[in-house]
Amino acid sequence: GAVVSQHPSRVICKSGTSVKIECRSLDFQATTMFWYRQFPKQSLMLMATSNEGSKATYEQGVEKDKFLINHASLTLSTLTVTSAHPEDSSFYICSATVREDTQYFGPGTRLTVL
Amino acid sequence: QKEVEQNSGPLSVPEGAIASLNCTYSDRGSQSFFWYRQYSGKSPELIMSIYSNGDKEDGRFTAQLNKASQYVSLLIRDSQPSDSATYLCAVNILRAGGTSYGKLTFGQGTILTVHP
């Protein structure tokens, strides 16, 4: 149980385009979903916390107009990277909580912006 | 002081040995503690959660928690080359008002290499 999927697993796009990443909890309803970013050889950096039906809470230093989060249902959250630039290239990972604190991670999306 | 600190390693052990991974945290009020394993290029995978002082065993893995010392560890018995990965300690740090909102604070991770 507690399976989280992400789509796409890998995306390559041109600078200036927008990219949408989906995160789904497949066998449970998630009270909260989280979005992380990870650069090579670094630990996870929390970007935002997402609750169904409400606005996401962004961490300090994360631009909410650039990283749009929509949490449409208890099983789906999306992250849209708007006007992506090469510095946005990273590994984006979502997680979902079954209870308030146990987080299960999706497989991640590797974004490369040319 | 970082909120969650791990010895960054790398830690190298021979196959069959016990690997010991350590983590300290700063907030005495923390209640939930987790160990995740992350293979290179993959996302983290939950190994263990622990909430009470003492030991918790699951197969070859044992998590140990000492809240008085603000210390949590992970022991891997009979280490295998497939255990080679980065191990992340995560703590549910309480925020102002006494709630965590479900957020975890991660350590920097310890790189473990098990050599045949």
Side-chain angles (χ1 to χ4, degrees):
Chain A
V3 179
V4 178
S5 70
Q6 265 184 259
H7 179 78
S9 58
R10 185 180 296 269
V11 59
I12 301 172
C13 68
K14 293 182 179 179
S15 184
T17 60
S18 294
V19 175
K20 180 185 283 189
I21 303 170
E22 290 188 350
C23 177
R24 293 180 185 272
S25 55
L26 297 184
D27 53 359
F28 65 98
Q29 292 187 323
T31 53
T32 306
M33 290 183 172
F34 301 85
W35 287 95
Y36 294 84
R37 182 166 54 178
Q38 187 175 37
F39 293 105
K41 300 192 186 302
Q42 294 186 24
S43 192
L44 299 168
M45 186 195 84
L46 179 65
M47 299 175 68
T49 303
S50 172
N51 291 289
E52 184 261 342
S54 61
K55 289 184 179 180
T57 303
Y58 291 82
E59 295 298 301
Q60 192 172 8
V62 177
E63 301 172 56
K64 56 184 173 184
D65 293 332
K66 181 164 185 66
F67 298 100
L68 300 179
I69 292 172
N70 181 271
H71 199 144
S73 73
L74 285 172
T75 60
L76 173 64
S77 176
T78 60
L79 168 68
T80 301
V81 183
T82 62
S83 187
H85 291 285
E87 58 267 28
D88 298 323
S89 298
S90 188
F91 191 40
Y92 291 86
I93 313 171
C94 73
S95 71
T97 54
V98 175
R99 44 181 291 174
E100 191 181 55
D101 56 13
T102 303
Q103 290 188 28
Y104 294 89
F105 286 85
T109 297
R110 193 161 303 281
L111 170 63
T112 303
V113 185
L114 303 175
Chain B
Q1 181 189 4
K2 294 181 181 177
E3 290 183 301
V4 180
E5 286 200 67
Q6 295 180 245
N7 43 337
S8 59
L11 175 65
S12 181
V13 300
E15 184 174 356
I18 296 175
S20 178
L21 305 162
N22 304 314
C23 175
T24 58
Y25 59 95
S26 62
D27 187 348
R28 283 193 172 276
S30 300
Q31 297 295 319
S32 310
F33 308 86
F34 305 86
W35 283 100
Y36 287 86
R37 175 175 62 194
Q38 187 175 24
Y39 292 112
S40 180
K42 303 295 184 182
S43 67
E45 171 192 11
L46 180 67
I47 299 175
M48 297 276 283
S49 60
I50 186 167
Y51 304 94
S52 304
N53 279 328
D55 295 358
K56 180 181 178 182
E57 188 174 315
D58 183 359
R60 294 186 297 111
F61 299 98
T62 299
Q64 299 174 318
L65 175 61
N66 184 325
K67 291 185 179 180
S69 300
Q70 296 172 243
Y71 174 91
V72 59
S73 66
L74 180 70
L75 300 177
I76 306 174
R77 290 182 301 281
D78 189 23
S79 296
Q80 302 296 310
S82 58
D83 295 326
S84 298
T86 297
Y87 288 80
L88 299 167
C89 171
V91 179
N92 195 336
I93 299 283
L94 296 182
R95 308 294 170 183
T99 181
S100 70
Y101 306 105
K103 290 167 65 170
L104 295 179
T105 300
F106 287 85
Q108 285 298 103
T110 298
I111 300 170
L112 171 66
T113 301
V114 182
H115 52 87

